[in-house]
Each structure stands twice: as structure tokens, then as C-alpha cells.
Amino acid sequence: KAKNPSLVTRCEIGDSLEEFLTKATSDKGLVRVLMCMGEALRTIAFKVRTASCGGTACVNSFGDEQLAVDMLANKLLFEALTYSHFCKYACSEEVPELQDMGGPTEGGFSVAFDPLDGSSIVDTNFSVGTIFGVWPGDKLIGVTGRDQVAAAMGVYGPRTTYVLALKDYPGSHEFLLLDEGKWQHVKETTEIGEGKLFSPGNLRATFDNVDYDKLINYYVKEKYTLRYTGGMVPDVNQIIVKEKGVFTNVISPSSKAKLRLLFEVAPLGFLVEKAGGYSSDGHQSVLDKEIINLDDRTQVAYGSKNEIIRFEETLYGKSR
Ligand code: AHG
Ligand code: MN
Ligand code: MN
Ligand code: MN
């Protein structure tokens, strides 16, 4: 007879965030930035639980209503970057202009972030997150996602996790926020395999994009499991955690791109590709797209190699 599992179980014990980062990179400034961002993510996770979901009566440059929670998370992240002393420039979805954070250019970093991804689904109690990318020196324009030295997301769901990847260290790594406030390494992803899981964003585009409609019909015909929350962070996080699946956010003549290359798409592209997955804007990896304006937007797909080939072939008749 099978024994009952213990009622009190916890994820396997692994390195603390600091132990992991110290082993993974010799760049003390980068460790400092990622540790400080970890502190901010922890505070945001707590604040989001009780913060007002009301609007600040402002609209950001993307036309999104700025909610109190967006601005709170935004403030905490800018403060963390100032406090790190290794951040040169920072900018965010809510403040898409370069802010001088006082850190050095040489040996320092520039950071772009989406303080709260999915802020409009905080009231419905869906999972939300924070996304950020770290570039060396003082440049966030004229660079590509491939130039990132690190990227990460905070996921605020039933669990709070910090998922990060470093340029010079393999894999994407998940840290769980423990009751006592520490981040503990719980998972590493180095391969994204095949599996029938789909996360179809911006389905309204199927109205006048027949190729996207064809792609969606393929998933349905092949009996893929639908797992879409409307929050890009949990939707993309599941690909890394389950090590399978595909996320799509496609445009059409009547439905323009919404997702921001610098603040959302490039950092998540870095995480997915370091995890062994692929990304595409339809023609190339999103990591090869040059950031021309801080507020550039793009369509995107993330997933296993075969899913990205299918995405490019179905939309444009060929894959690179
Ligand atoms: P944000 O809350 O940072 O403005 O971004 C939300 C994004 C992303 O999480 C999601 O994939 C997309 O909006 C969904 O948009 P629609 O609900 O308009 O399709
Ligand atoms: Mn927004
Ligand atoms: Mn977002
Ligand atoms: Mn946001």
C-alpha cells in the first residue's frame, strides 16, 4: 500500500541566490544588480497583494492606463537600481526615457524593465510579473537582445519566483521565495522539448490574418492543450518550467503590435533561448532585432525549435 506523502514538504534545497550568482559569474557589479533587483521583486510581490488596482488617472506613452500598482513597482525598481551603484541608465514601460542612475559606464550596466506585466489582471488575481533585461555599459539603443548580459522575470503567483539567465552561464534558473524571505535555487532549464501546449496571444488578429488563423487551427486539430492567462510572464514562464510549448502574439492589418521589444520581448527571448528554446518575430530570433527606439514593438513567438519553425513557415511560407 502506498504511503501518504508528508503534509509538509518543500522544494529541494539548493543554493541561495547569492551563492548561485557568485559561482555563476565573476562580475561583482552584475551580482550586485541582480541581488538588488531580487530585493525589489520580493517587495513588489508583497505590495501587489494589497495595493490599489485603481488608475493613477494617467496614460503611459503606449496608451496603457497607468495603475497605482504599475507606479509602485516602477518606483521600487528604480530605487533598487540606484541603490546597486552599478546601474548607469535605466528606463521602463512607465518611464520610457533614459534615466541616469549614477553608476559607472565602464563596469556598469543599463537596465530596461516592465515593472508589472499584466497589471490589468491583478484585480482578477491572475499571476503577474516583472520583466527586465541588463545590457553592459550605457547603451540601450542600437543594441540587440543578444547583447544582454543577463535577463530575468519575477513571477507573482501562488509562488513567487525569480527566473534569471546570465550570458556566460548555461541555462535559465528558477529561484523560489521562501517564507523566511530568501531566494532558493529550485530549477534549471537547459532544453525545451516537444509537447502539445499552446498559449495563443492576440487571437483577435485571426479575424484578418488568415495565416495566424491557420496556425491556431493546426493547434486545435492536433489537440494541443490551451494554457493562456493573458499575462505574458506566466504564459512564457510555463514554457521554461514545463520545458515545452509555444507562445504566440501575432499582428494583423487591424491589430497592431502591442508587446515592447526592449522592456518585454528581448528579455523574455533571452530567458527562453538560454533555456534551450527559440524565439521569432516571424523572420528571425527576437534577440537579433536592433532596438531603434526605446518603445519599439513587435509580434513574437517563443517555444521549442520545431514550434518556431512551424510558426515561421505557417506565417511566411519559410523558416530561416
Ligand atoms: P502590461 O500589463 O505590462 O501593459 O502588458 C500586458 C501584455 C502582456 O502581458 C500580454 O501578453 C498582453 O498584454 C495581452 O494583451 P491583450 O489582453 O490586449 O491581448
Ligand atoms: Mn501597461
Ligand atoms: Mn507588459
Ligand atoms: Mn507593465
Side-chain angles (χ1 to χ4, degrees):
K1 209 169 111 187
K3 249 175 80 186
N4 281 335
S6 162
L7 285 176
V8 186
T9 54
R10 251 180 31 178
C11 285
E12 208 181 308
I13 311 288
D15 279 345
S16 71
L17 180 63
E18 192 163 17
E19 284 162 349
F20 172 87
L21 290 174
T22 316
K23 288 181 199 168
T25 174
S26 56
D27 188 329
K28 293 201 166 61
L30 185 58
V31 172
R32 174 92 189 143
V33 167
L34 294 171
M35 290 300 296
C36 288
M37 291 301 265
E39 295 292 301
L41 299 187
R42 185 176 59 184
T43 310
I44 295 167
F46 280 107
K47 293 286 183 192
V48 159
R49 295 174 187 189
T50 51
S52 160
C53 293
T56 57
C58 290
V59 169
N60 68 20
S61 65
F62 299 98
D64 299 355
E65 198 184 343
Q66 281 180 322
L67 306 181
V69 275
D70 286 314
M71 298 317 288
L72 181 60
N74 190 62
K75 175 173 165 280
L76 289 165
L77 291 160
F78 273 115
E79 283 172 2
L81 289 169
T82 305
Y83 184 68
S84 78
H85 298 296
F86 276 92
C87 181
K88 175 58 184 166
Y89 289 118
C91 65
S92 80
E93 177 192 325
E94 310 307 341
V95 184
E97 300 96 32
L98 296 184
Q99 306 293 305
D100 195 328
M101 307 306 289
T105 298
E106 190 69 35
F109 304 93
S110 289
V111 178
F113 58 91
D114 177 355
L116 204 54
D117 179 67
S119 55
S120 66
I121 50 173
V122 170
D123 56 356
T124 57
N125 219 353
F126 285 12
S127 291
V128 296
T130 295
I131 306 170
F132 69 91
V134 183
W135 277 262
D138 60 354
K139 285 204 170 47
L140 288 173
I141 294 215
V143 295
T144 68
R146 221 173 272 292
D147 299 326
Q148 288 171 100
V149 289
M153 62 186 161
V155 190
Y156 318 123
R159 294 158 179 263
T160 297
T161 58
Y162 184 6
V163 182
L164 59 84
L166 302 166
K167 188 187 180 91
D168 297 321
Y169 192 82
S172 282
H173 299 269
E174 184 186 46
F175 295 82
L176 175 68
L177 184 62
L178 303 180
D179 292 340
E180 54 266 36
K182 288 200 172 118
W183 294 107
Q184 184 177 61
H185 193 200
V186 290
K187 185 177 167 65
E188 135 183 298
T189 306
T190 54
E191 266 175 78
I192 308 284
E194 301 313 315
K196 296 184 171 183
L197 190 72
F198 78 128
S199 226
N202 202 30
L203 272 188
R204 51 180 89 73
T206 58
F207 171 72
D208 54 348
N209 181 336
V210 290
D211 298 315
Y212 191 30
D213 195 50
K214 225 195 279 173
L215 183 63
I216 298 301
N217 280 316
Y218 173 86
Y219 300 140
V220 173
K221 180 171 70 66
E222 293 298 320
K223 300 192 164 45
Y224 279 45
T225 298
L226 172 66
R227 285 286 181 273
Y228 181 74
T229 74
M232 198 190 189
V233 164
D235 288 334
V236 176
N237 186 52
Q238 73 176 336
I239 297 176
I240 297 171
V241 172
K242 299 290 190 195
E243 304 182 353
K244 64 179 182 187
V246 60
F247 170 91
T248 53
N249 191 296
V250 172
I251 63 172
S252 76
S254 70
S255 184
K256 301 271 167 280
K258 174 179 182 187
L259 300 176
R260 292 143 278 230
L261 178 60
L262 178 61
F263 306 115
E264 303 172 299
V265 173
L268 292 185
F270 189 87
L271 283 177
V272 168
E273 294 202 15
K274 288 296 291 190
Y278 285 71
S279 75
S280 176
D281 69 350
H283 307 285
Q284 60 179 340
S285 161
V286 299
L287 298 183
D288 290 322
K289 288 173 79 71
E290 186 182 337
I291 291 138
I292 297 167
N293 297 299
L294 296 174
D295 61 354
D296 287 345
R297 304 190 199 202
T298 181
Q299 66 176 6
V300 62
Y302 302 111
S304 67
K305 183 177 184 183
N306 285 342
E307 290 299 349
I308 295 306
I309 291 172
R310 184 180 351 272
F311 171 78
E312 292 183 348
E313 282 179 349
T314 309
L315 260 60
Y316 298 101
K318 63 175 186 330
S319 184
R320 60 193 128 112

